[in-house]
């Protein structure tokens, strides 16, 4: 059942009811809930109170954190599915952030050659990115998402219900992927998204913005489910972003993924301006919003060689020694498979530091 079919997206804060409805239609022989230690404590009880099918489901819980997204945890999930009688017509509900939806999705995609699964993302980052679009997998040999498969969840239930369990920095981290989607979508999407004054992540208005953002990703994934071309649009901000994230980790000062992506967006838009004439007034508006809401990363020119070296090892590169970027001619006009030389990247980093007053 490894599949890239289009997946049902349900936008609702009535999460328990949405799960019940899916189960009543899908009629799995047995239901399993996969959660990590955080979501088992903070989110599962909220759903169990309102859903008998979830209260009766077999729980599989593993310790929270990216370090557990590995083969040992995956094997323990497969083991529990085996021991508790999951047949081909069983189903899994993945309740958690990206680690849970990635690994739970991969466990379901591979168990008995594939059983059905539903993603219930509990973080903004997972709701807007990881839980949607069929990327599943685990980290392996020190590389993120090294083993995995494209396999869409049968349904993704997207809500803002659990966002108040997250620290503000985690919510802003997810918001960076929404900024990315708004720049890919074009039109007035960026200005509408950033004009929300007091960010109320739990309000009905925010669920509407989230829906709009997720649909940007859904439209792209439907056209290119296995990232042969257009899906690379979703890598906007991620070449420089991953370099900032790895660099910060190496310095012993880790930053949330979305903060690195936010800064990476500015670098990619500077390169877009240099190579493709991306409008400077939009570049300034994006930079100002990111400086105000994400602060600065403390790099100076002595870090450029290290950052370029990290970018050279990015798995998104073509393998011919060049460094790949996704760039924009303007908001809404994506150009994938662009490359930049180390000299161009250094100039872009200089301008990035000017824009963010670093
Ligand atoms: N995170 C980008 C993608 O799913 O393609």
């Amino acid at each position: 059942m490894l599949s890239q079919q289009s997946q049902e997206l349900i936008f609702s804060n009535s999460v328990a009811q949405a799960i019940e409805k899916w189960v009543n239609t899908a009629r799995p022989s047995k239901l399993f809930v996969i959660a990590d230690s955080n979501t088992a404590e903070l989110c599962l009880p909220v759903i169990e109170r309102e859903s008998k099918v979830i209260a009766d489901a077999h729980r599989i819980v593993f310790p929270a954190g990216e370090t557990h997204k590995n083969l040992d945890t995956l094997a323990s999930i497969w083991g529990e599915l085996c021991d508790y009688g999951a047949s081909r017509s069983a189903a899994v509900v993945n309740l958690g952030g990206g680690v849970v939806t990635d690994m739970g999705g991969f466990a379901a995609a591979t168990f008995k050659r594939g059983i059905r699964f539903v993603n219930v993302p509990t973080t903004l980052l997972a709701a807007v990115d990881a839980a949607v679009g069929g990327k599943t997998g685990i980290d392996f040999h020190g590389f993120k998402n090294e083993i995995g498969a494209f396999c869409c969840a049968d349904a993704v239930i997207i809500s803002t219900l659990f966002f108040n369990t997250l620290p503000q920095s985690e919510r802003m981290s997810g918001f960076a992927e929404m900024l990315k989607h708004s720049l890919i979508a074009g039109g007035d999407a960026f200005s509408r998204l950033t004009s929300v004054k007091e960010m109320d992540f739990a309000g009905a208005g925010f669920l509407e913005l989230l829906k709009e953002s997720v649909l940007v990703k859904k439209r792209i994934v439907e056209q290119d489910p296995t990232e042969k071309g257009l899906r690379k649009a979703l890598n906007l901000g991620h070449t420089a972003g991953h370099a900032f994230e790895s660099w910060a980790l190496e310095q012993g000062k880790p930053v949330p993924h979305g903060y690195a992506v936010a800064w990476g967006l500015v670098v990619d838009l500077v390169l877009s301006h240099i190579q493709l004439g991306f409008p400077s007034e939009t570049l300034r508006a994006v930079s100002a919003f990111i400086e105000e809401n994400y602060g600065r990363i403390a790099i100076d020119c002595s870090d450029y060689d290290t950052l370029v070296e990290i970018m050279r090892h990015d798995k998104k590169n073509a393998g011919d020694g060049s460094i790949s970027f996704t760039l924009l001619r303007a908001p809404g006009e994506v150009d994938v498979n662009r490359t930049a030389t180390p000299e161009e990247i250094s100039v872009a980093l200089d301008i990035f530091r000017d824009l963010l007053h670093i």
Side-chain angles (χ1 to χ4, degrees), residues 4-68:
Q4 296 144 20
Q5 83 281 9
S6 90
Q7 56 189 179
E8 186 186 3
L9 300 183
I10 301 159
F11 296 89
S12 169
N13 279 336
S14 302
V15 175
Q17 290 79 353
I19 297 174
E20 293 258 332
K21 194 166 165 209
W22 184 85
V23 170
N24 287 335
T25 308
R27 301 210 156 280
S29 54
K30 198 167 173 90
L31 191 67
F32 291 80
V33 178
I34 300 181
D36 68 22
S37 45
N38 289 337
T39 58
E41 185 193 330
L42 298 171
C43 308
L44 191 50
V46 176
I47 301 179
E48 279 180 331
R49 271 199 295 276
E50 291 181 38
S51 165
K52 183 160 162 45
V53 296
I54 290 294
D56 291 347
H58 179 80
R59 292 167 165 223
I60 300 175
V61 179
F62 61 83
E66 183 81 25
T67 52
H68 297 283

Side-chain angles (χ1 to χ4, degrees), residues 129-130 132-133 135 150 177 180 217 221 227 231-232 234-235 238:
D129 192 16
V132 176
K135 284 186 178 175
F150 285 104
E177 299 287 351
K180 177 192 82 178
K217 175 164 184 178
V221 170
E227 203 169 301
R231 187 167 180 163
K232 293 180 191 171
L234 299 171
N235 294 334
H238 282 66

Side-chain angles (χ1 to χ4, degrees), residues 9-224:
L9 300 183
I10 301 159
F11 296 89
S12 169
N13 279 336
S14 302
V15 175
Q17 290 79 353
I19 297 174
E20 293 258 332
K21 194 166 165 209
W22 184 85
V23 170
N24 287 335
T25 308
R27 301 210 156 280
S29 54
K30 198 167 173 90
L31 191 67
F32 291 80
V33 178
I34 300 181
D36 68 22
S37 45
N38 289 337
T39 58
E41 185 193 330
L42 298 171
C43 308
L44 191 50
V46 176
I47 301 179
E48 279 180 331
R49 271 199 295 276
E50 291 181 38
S51 165
K52 183 160 162 45
V53 296
I54 290 294
D56 291 347
H58 179 80
R59 292 167 165 223
I60 300 175
V61 179
F62 61 83
E66 183 81 25
T67 52
H68 297 283
K69 187 178 158 185
N70 59 26
L71 200 50
D72 288 340
T73 314
L74 177 66
S76 74
I77 295 172
W78 283 329
E80 285 212 45
L81 290 171
C82 259
D83 292 347
Y84 290 87
S87 71
R88 199 71 183 286
S89 54
V92 163
V93 172
N94 294 314
L95 179 70
V99 171
V100 173
T101 59
D102 279 10
M103 186 158 53
F106 189 54
T110 46
F111 187 78
K112 294 195 196 287
R113 299 205 177 90
I115 61 175
R116 291 166 293 175
F117 67 100
V118 174
N119 284 340
V120 182
T122 57
T123 66
L124 176 53
L125 193 55
V128 78
D129 192 16
V132 176
K135 284 186 178 175
T136 69
I138 55 164
D139 303 337
F140 186 67
H141 262 327
F143 298 105
K144 274 181 73 118
N145 302 319
E146 187 71 351
I147 307 291
F150 285 104
C151 182
C152 278
D154 289 76
V156 186
I157 300 167
I158 294 168
S159 76
T160 60
L161 195 60
F162 303 110
F163 295 171
N164 59 3
T165 64
L166 304 170
Q168 178 69 357
S169 60
E170 276 303 308
R171 292 188 288 233
M172 287 311 292
S173 188
F175 193 75
E177 299 287 351
M178 294 177 71
L179 294 175
K180 177 192 82 178
H181 288 166
S182 75
L183 290 163
I184 293 170
D188 64 353
F190 178 80
S191 54
R192 276 188 301 106
L193 186 61
T194 53
S195 63
V196 182
K197 281 282 174 281
E198 278 302 309
M199 208 64 83
D200 173 13
F201 290 96
F206 191 73
L207 186 58
E208 267 310 302
L209 285 173
L210 180 55
K211 177 175 180 179
E212 189 182 321
S213 188
V214 172
L215 293 181
V216 173
K217 175 164 184 178
K218 181 177 194 269
R219 276 193 289 275
I220 290 172
V221 170
E222 278 172 357
Q223 292 173 68
D224 177 21

